[in-house]
Amino acid sequence: MTTWGSAAVSFGGLTAPWQLVEPMPLEVVFTRPERLRSGAGRTLQHWAGRLAAKYAVLRLLDEPVTAEHLGAVEVLPVPAPLCDRTAACLHGHPPGVRLIGVLDGREAAGTRIRVSVSHTADLAFAVALTSARLPEDHDLEAVTAWT
């Protein structure tokens, strides 16, 4: 496994999230919690950032880009300790990655996949990397707001 992956998603001229992933179905590429989170008044820029993070994770894992693989990379905010500990908080928590379905268990023992996302007016860019687990990583497994 490589130690990092990156991806860019262009969304200039697009008007709807499904256009980012067509011909793949939006409901397969984005999990239900992601769709709920992204659909809550978020811009297309937000959807593109989450998609770029998914692509970056697949490159990190050296996995092919398919709707099933994209949907197995769930990218949601990780609550800060001072928050009410829910992913619904709107205070800009950093994105966390959870591998589910066909990618469940792909993280190397003792590591965690982390992502960073940035945007311009029509481009989203993400970097995914593997790092050692930190003491606060146990909080991610305890978050029940993923579902």
Side-chain angles (χ1 to χ4, degrees), residues 16-32 34-35 38-39 44 47 51 54 67 70-71:
W18 62 266
Q19 293 173 310
L20 292 168
V21 298
E22 70 178 338
M24 296 180 283
L26 187 75
E27 298 78 20
V28 176
V29 173
F30 292 99
T31 65
R32 184 176 187 277
E34 288 174 322
R35 292 190 316 271
S38 293
L44 193 57
W47 288 86
L51 183 60
K54 289 169 169 277
L70 287 167

Side-chain angles (χ1 to χ4, degrees), residues 55-77:
Y55 280 125
V57 170
L58 291 182
R59 288 191 178 134
L60 167 76
L61 297 174
D62 197 26
E63 289 288 341
V65 175
T66 65
E68 183 181 24
H69 282 115
L70 287 167
V73 178
E74 190 170 61
V75 180
L76 289 171

Side-chain angles (χ1 to χ4, degrees), residues 37 42 77-80 82-95:
R37 179 73 179 174
R42 301 285 195 236
V78 177
L82 298 176
C83 187
D84 289 332
R85 306 194 60 76
T86 70
C89 179
L90 298 176
H91 295 293
H93 299 299

